[in-house]
């Protein structure tokens, strides 16, 4: 069994309040959960209005399938126009 996790650091340029930021992050997290076989949540910077850290995780008996699923999810996040990915951390457990 493989546990694969990714932490994505994001900057939300057009956000001018926590309410705007939370709207963007909620949309991103909801779409990730709907489209991919992963768990996801905002992990850090909840009180900063232009910065976020999103965690993604999947469990699989097949390392290649787990990696492919998370790579697709990362690519999805990088295409979201409301935010810019400023860094990613990938980890296997």
């Amino acid at each position: 069994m493989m546990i694969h996790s990714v932490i994505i650091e994001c900057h939300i340029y057009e956000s001018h309040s926590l309410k705007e930021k939370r709207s963007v992050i909620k949309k991103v997290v909801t779409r990730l959960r709907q489209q991919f076989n992963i768990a996801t949540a905002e992990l850090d910077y909840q009180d900063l209005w232009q910065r976020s850290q999103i965690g993604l995780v999947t469990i699989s008996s097949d390392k290649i399938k787990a990696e492919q699923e998370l790579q697709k999810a990362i690519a999805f996040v990088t295409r979201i126009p409301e935010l810019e990915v400023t860094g990613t951390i990938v980890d296997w457990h």
Side-chain angles (χ1 to χ4, degrees):
M1 175 173 54
M2 299 300 300
I3 302 171
H4 190 67
S5 65
V6 175
I7 297 174
I8 301 173
E9 296 273 342
C10 304
H11 189 83
I12 307 162
Y13 291 107
E14 298 300 318
S15 176
H16 301 292
S17 69
L18 286 174
K19 184 176 180 178
E20 289 177 8
K21 176 209 169 179
R22 289 185 180 124
S23 174
V24 170
I25 296 302
K26 182 177 179 179
K27 181 177 85 169
V28 171
V29 167
T30 299
R31 291 177 68 192
L32 283 166
R33 288 179 183 156
Q34 291 172 344
Q35 294 185 21
F36 302 97
N37 187 22
I38 60 172
T40 184
E42 183 178 18
L43 301 178
D44 204 356
Y45 312 119
Q46 286 90 347
D47 294 332
L48 299 177
W49 47 272
Q50 287 190 321
R51 189 170 180 193
S52 183
Q53 186 181 74
I54 300 170
L56 316 173
V57 67
T58 189
I59 300 173
S60 178
S61 60
D62 185 339
K63 180 179 178 180
I64 293 171
K65 285 185 181 182
E67 188 170 346
Q68 288 173 342
E69 189 73 4
L70 284 177
Q71 289 300 324
K72 289 178 191 175
I74 293 167
F76 171 82
V77 173
T78 62
R79 291 189 303 268
I80 295 172
E82 292 92 350
L83 58 84
E84 177 187 355
V85 173
T86 58
T88 58
I89 300 168
V90 178
D91 195 14
W92 286 98
H93 302 282

